[in-house]
Amino acid sequence: MKKLILFALFFALTRVYGQDSAIHVIPQPVEIQQSTGEYTLTSVSTIGFNNQDSRKIADMLVQKLNNPTGFSFKAEQTNSASIQFNLNKVPVSQLGKEGYSLVSGTSGVVITANETAGLFYGMQTLLQLLPKEIESKTAVSMAWTIPIVKITDYPRFGWRGLMLDVSRNFFTKEEVKSYIDQLSRYKLNTFHMHLTDDNGWRIEIKSLPKLTEVGAWRVPRYGQFGGRAKPVSDEKATVGGFYTQDDMKEIIRYAQDRNVTIVPEIDIPGHSMAAIASYPELSCTKDQDTKVNPGSSFSEWYKDGTFKMLLDNTLNPSDEKVYEFLDKVFTEIATIFPNPYIHVGGDECYKGFWMKDAGCLALMKKMNMAKPEELQAYFMKRVEGILKAKGKKLIGWDEILEGGIGPEATVMSWRGIKGGIEAAKMGHNVVMTPTTYAYIDYQQGEQTIEPPMYASLRLEKCYNWEPVPEGVDAKYILGGQGNLWAEQIVTLHHAEYMTWPRGWALAEDFWSPKESKNWANFVPRVEKQFERAEIEGVNYSTAFYDAIVNVRGKDGEMTLEMNSEVPGLDVFYTIDGAMPNIYSNKYSSPVKLPPGPITVRVVTYRNGKQIGHLITLNPEELKGRISTR
Ligand code: ACM
C-alpha cells in the first residue's frame, strides 16, 4: 500500500513538474492570470461561433487544428462549444478594434472580441497556449492541453508593420502569402511592400505595360549587391517577376483574412531606374540604354552621408508627362489596394541630373526656388494632389520633410529618430522605423560569421526599443515598423532568417505595454518560438547565442571583453590556436592578450552544451575592431 501511494505521488509530481506549465506568448499579453489545471482538447471537443462574422475565425481554427490533432472538427453556431468564439453585441471599449479576452477553464475556452480582428488575435494566442506540435502538418498523438488562464489583451499601437523589399529580390505570390501568414501570427497588422526600385518594378500597371514587360526583369547576377557586373549590351534580362493585378488582389484578400493591411510603395522620384528602363523619357537624361539594375554599382557614397548617382535613376520633376505617367500608375494602384495610404518613397533622391537640366532650372526660376530640395518638395506636392484626387493619403520616407510637404502627409522616420521627432513636432503623423532599431537587413550577430552587411542590429537592441521618442506627443506616433531590404536576400528562407526572432521583438515593441517589457523574460519565450518555428518549417536565426567580443586597445596592448545577449551563457575561449570548448579558458573578466600575433577563438555553452557558433578572430580582425573607449 505504502509503495502504491509513493508511486501515485511520483506520478502526480512528474505530471506537475515534468511538464512546462509556463506560458510563452509573443507578444506578451496586457493581462494574464494563470490558475492550476488545464483543458484538454479531444476528438469530442467542439468549436463554435455566435454569428456569421465570428464563423470566419472558427473555421480558420478548424483548418489549423484538424491536421496536427488528426480530429475532424467542424465549426458550429452555438453559445456553448468547447472552444467558443463570440463577437460582442455591445462593444467593450477597453478591447477596441483589435483586442480580445480569452478565458479558459476545465471545460473549455471562450474568446470574445468586438471585431473579427480581435477574435483572430485571440485564436493566435490560443495556438501559442497549445503544445508546439500544433504547428505540425501531420497528425501527432498527444495530450492537447490548454492551461487555465484569463487573458485580456489589446495593442499599444495601431500600425505594427513589417516591410519586405520585393523589388531588389522578387518573392513569389506564395512566398509573400507565407510571410504574411507568419507576421500575422505575432499580431503584426501592416505589410509594406516595396514594389518598385532600381532593380525591378513588381506590379502590373495595365495602361503602362512596359513597366512589367521591361521593368520587372534584369540580367542574372550573384554576389555582393553593388559589386555585380553591369549588364552587357545584348544580354537577356531573365531574372525577376511581377504580381499581376489579380495576383495582388489574391494577396490582399489573404492578408485581410489575417487582419493585415498592405501598404504599397511606389518609390519616386529617386530609386526609379526600373521605370526609366521601361520609359526612358521619364528622366532628365532620357538615356535609351538604361537597364534594370542587377546590383551593379552606379553610386558613390561619401562619409558625410551625401552621395552621387553615376547613372540617372530619377524622374524629371519639370516634365508634365511624368505627372501624366504617375496619374496612370496611382489610378491603378488606388483601385487595387484598399489601404488609405500609398507610400511614395521620396528617399535618397539625387538632384545632380536635375541641376543640369534646362527644364528643371527653368521651373526653379519660375517658382522662385533657391535649392533643389524645393524641386523635390514641388514634385511631392504634385504627387500628393494626385493621391488626394483618388481619395488616398500620402506616406513617405523622412526626406519628404526637406523642402516642405503638406500637413496631412505621414512620415516614415528611417534615418534615425530625428525625422520622426521633427515631423511629430510639425504635427505630422509618424511611423517609426529607424535604422538604429528597425532595419532587419542589418547583421544580427558576430560580423565575421553573419552574411556580409555594413551595419549591425542585435535582437536585444530591437527588443529594448521604445518607439515613442522622448519629448514627442505620443498621439502623433501611429506605431512602428521593421524593414527588410532584400539587396542581399534571394530566398524566402533567408528572409525568414533575417526576420525571426527580431520580428518577434518588434511585434512586442508595437503590441505590449511598455511597462511589461523585460529582456530576461523575453529570451525563454523566443526559445519556445524557435521550437514552434522548427516544427512549422520556418527559418530563424540563433545568432543571439553567439558571444559578443569587443577589443580595447591601449599602449599597443589589446584587451578582450566578452559577453552574450542571452543571460547565463558560459563563454569559453582560446588564444593558443586550439578549438575552444568546456576544457578551455572560461571568460570571467577582461583578458589582456600577450604579444602576438594571436588568433582568438570563442564559443558559448549552456549547461555544458555548446549553444553558440564558433567565432574565430585572426590578428588583423582583432586589430580592426580595437576601440579606445
Ligand atoms: C531607405 O532605407 N532608403 C528608406
Side-chain angles (χ1 to χ4, degrees):
M1 186 65 192
K2 220 166 154 189
K3 249 188 183 163
L4 209 65
I5 290 170
L6 275 177
F7 209 56
L9 194 66
F10 172 75
F11 268 104
L13 284 174
T14 47
R15 185 116 187 87
V16 174
Y17 295 109
Q19 135 182 340
D20 182 2
S21 62
I23 289 170
H24 293 99
V25 177
I26 292 180
Q28 180 71 33
V30 173
E31 268 178 59
I32 177 161
Q33 287 168 31
Q34 187 177 4
S35 309
T36 50
E38 64 208 12
Y39 171 71
T40 304
L41 196 71
T42 67
S43 61
V44 296
S45 301
T46 51
I47 297 177
F49 54 88
N50 73 332
N51 66 25
Q52 286 311 307
D53 288 331
S54 46
R55 167 181 214 135
K56 226 174 77 183
I57 307 300
D59 281 340
M60 275 180 114
L61 182 67
V62 165
Q63 286 268 319
K64 179 77 190 172
L65 295 183
N66 280 352
N67 278 343
T69 59
F71 304 148
S72 308
F73 295 125
K74 212 168 166 305
E76 56 193 273
Q77 183 153 11
T78 167
N79 285 316
S80 56
S82 329
I83 311 279
Q84 176 70 33
F85 288 97
N86 287 341
L87 273 173
N88 287 322
K89 292 196 176 67
V90 181
V92 173
S93 68
Q94 185 193 27
L95 299 182
K97 284 176 183 305
E98 296 182 298
Y100 65 93
S101 90
L102 184 157
V103 179
S104 56
T106 48
S107 56
V109 183
V110 180
I111 298 174
T112 314
N114 297 333
E115 301 196 15
T116 50
L119 293 184
F120 178 78
Y121 290 144
M123 175 179 78
Q124 296 310 329
T125 297
L126 175 67
L127 291 169
Q128 290 194 39
L129 295 175
L130 277 156
K132 61 181 185 297
E133 289 79 6
I134 208 67
E135 298 305 337
S136 171
K137 289 181 181 68
T138 54
V140 183
S141 175
M142 64 176 301
W144 298 104
T145 54
I146 298 163
I148 296 190
V149 288
K150 204 159 177 265
I151 294 176
T152 306
D153 201 15
Y154 44 85
R156 180 171 175 210
F157 294 106
W159 187 302
R160 305 183 301 279
L162 273 186
M163 186 212 77
L164 182 64
D165 169 9
V166 295
S167 169
R168 269 51 173 275
N169 179 65
F170 177 65
F171 293 89
T172 64
K173 179 175 72 179
E174 292 310 322
E175 289 172 330
V176 166
K177 283 185 180 175
S178 169
Y179 198 72
I180 290 170
D181 190 50
Q182 292 171 38
L183 66 92
S184 71
R185 300 173 66 176
Y186 300 98
K187 306 187 175 86
L188 294 165
N189 67 354
T190 303
F191 181 50
H192 169 172
M193 295 182 84
H194 184 73
L195 287 167
T196 73
D197 210 299
D198 303 316
N199 319 96
W201 183 286
R202 305 296 179 207
I203 177 76
E204 177 189 28
I205 302 295
K206 291 186 201 246
S207 59
L208 295 160
K210 281 203 219 160
L211 283 175
T212 43
E213 284 165 14
V214 175
W217 305 95
R218 61 174 175 79
V219 297
R221 293 287 184 278
Y222 280 92
Q224 191 79 1
F225 191 90
R228 300 176 191 162
K230 295 180 169 45
V232 292
S233 58
D234 293 334
E235 195 176 359
K236 283 221 159 38
T238 54
V239 172
F242 64 94
Y243 311 104
T244 64
Q245 294 194 3
D246 284 343
D247 286 340
M248 193 48 85
K249 285 176 186 158
E250 186 182 323
I251 292 171
I252 290 165
R253 276 195 304 273
Y254 188 86
Q256 280 171 333
D257 285 344
R258 288 156 183 77
N259 193 43
V260 172
T261 185
I262 298 184
V263 177
E265 181 184 355
I266 304 296
D267 197 353
I268 48 176
H271 285 274
S272 291
M273 207 181 295
I276 295 166
S278 314
Y279 297 100
E281 62 274 20
L282 296 172
S283 72
C284 290
T285 45
K286 304 186 186 351
D287 181 353
Q288 300 293 317
D289 280 339
T290 303
K291 300 277 189 292
V292 179
N293 185 274
S296 52
S297 166
F298 64 89
S299 59
E300 288 174 0
W301 292 80
Y302 311 115
K303 284 212 166 74
D304 63 359
T306 60
F307 58 93
K308 176 178 177 179
M309 294 292 166
L310 307 171
L311 294 174
D312 191 358
N313 70 343
T314 53
L315 304 181
N316 178 355
S318 71
D319 188 346
E320 284 307 309
K321 285 203 201 71
V322 166
Y323 300 104
E324 286 163 26
F325 164 84
L326 292 174
D327 194 75
K328 287 183 183 165
V329 169
F330 288 123
T331 297
E332 296 192 34
I333 292 289
T335 51
I336 304 167
F337 293 90
N339 195 307
Y341 290 98
I342 293 179
H343 199 301
V344 296
D347 57 322
E348 299 172 323
C349 175
Y350 178 63
K351 320 284 190 308
F353 296 100
W354 294 359
M355 296 315 284
K356 289 190 195 139
D357 180 77
C360 287
L361 294 174
L363 179 63
M364 283 182 74
K365 195 159 173 216
K366 182 174 149 207
M367 307 289 290
N368 218 3
M369 294 175 189
K371 47 186 192 162
E373 285 71 26
E374 290 173 66
L375 256 187
Q376 179 164 342
Y378 166 87
F379 174 89
M380 277 300 167
K381 280 179 193 146
R382 295 281 305 263
V383 170
E384 191 177 29
I386 294 173
L387 297 191
K388 264 194 183 160
K390 298 175 200 322
K392 295 291 185 181
K393 298 195 232 186
L394 181 147
I395 182 166
W397 302 111
D398 55 40
E399 286 94 333
I400 63 170
L401 288 171
E402 293 167 4
I405 184 75
E408 290 160 41
T410 299
V411 174
M412 221 172 225
S413 181
W414 74 277
R415 295 176 299 178
I417 58 172
K418 64 181 187 317
I421 296 173
E422 194 188 330
K425 293 206 161 144
M426 290 163 72
H428 291 283
N429 282 336
V430 175
V431 175
M432 296 302 292
T433 178
T435 51
T436 35
Y437 297 102
Y439 266 44
I440 56 173
D441 58 327
Y442 287 4
Q443 287 186 319
Q444 51 199 316
E446 164 56 39
Q447 67 188 54
T448 57
I449 36 185
E450 290 300 310
M453 193 58 186
Y454 53 83
S456 163
L457 172 59
R458 287 183 182 270
L459 180 65
E460 189 174 1
K461 188 153 184 203
C462 266
Y463 185 75
N464 286 326
W465 176 29
E466 165 46 37
V468 179
E470 233 166 88
V472 162
D473 186 341
K475 79 172 188 221
Y476 294 113
I477 309 297
L478 301 182
Q481 182 173 292
N483 291 337
L484 184 55
W485 300 101
E487 288 96 334
Q488 308 279 114
I489 296 171
V490 298
T491 65
L492 179 66
H493 284 310
H494 189 183
E496 292 168 350
Y497 176 88
M498 301 305 281
T499 306
W500 315 118
R502 288 182 293 185
W504 300 332
L506 295 172
E508 191 146 318
D509 293 337
F510 306 152
W511 178 281
S512 306
K514 184 175 161 183
E515 301 71 33
S516 76
K517 301 260 301 285
N518 179 322
W519 172 247
N521 170 284
F522 182 62
V523 168
R525 288 185 288 127
V526 166
E527 295 187 295
K528 290 290 176 190
Q529 294 303 325
F530 284 166
E531 294 174 8
R532 286 169 183 266
E534 205 157 306
I535 294 173
E536 202 189 341
V538 170
N539 198 15
Y540 56 87
S541 164
T542 59
F544 82 151
Y545 291 125
D546 297 346
I548 300 171
V549 186
N550 293 315
V551 185
R552 277 195 291 119
K554 214 171 149 209
D555 306 329
E557 281 182 352
M558 281 197 251
T559 302
L560 302 181
E561 288 173 351
M562 304 182 217
N563 55 30
S564 65
E565 284 180 273
V566 174
L569 301 191
D570 296 321
V571 181
F572 291 98
Y573 68 95
T574 64
I575 57 171
D576 60 2
M579 291 295 271
N581 53 36
I582 42 165
Y583 308 113
S584 314
N585 305 299
K586 184 169 166 180
Y587 180 82
S588 57
S589 59
V591 181
K592 197 182 280 181
L593 290 184
I598 282 173
T599 291
V600 175
R601 289 184 173 79
V602 187
V603 74
T604 50
Y605 274 68
R606 183 163 66 186
N607 301 330
K609 281 212 175 82
Q610 185 178 334
I611 194 159
H613 298 102
L614 171 68
I615 297 172
T616 304
L617 304 175
N618 62 30
E620 297 87 80
E621 177 64 33
L622 288 168
K623 217 164 132 203
R625 60 172 72 180
I626 287 179
S627 102
T628 47
R629 157 185 73 78

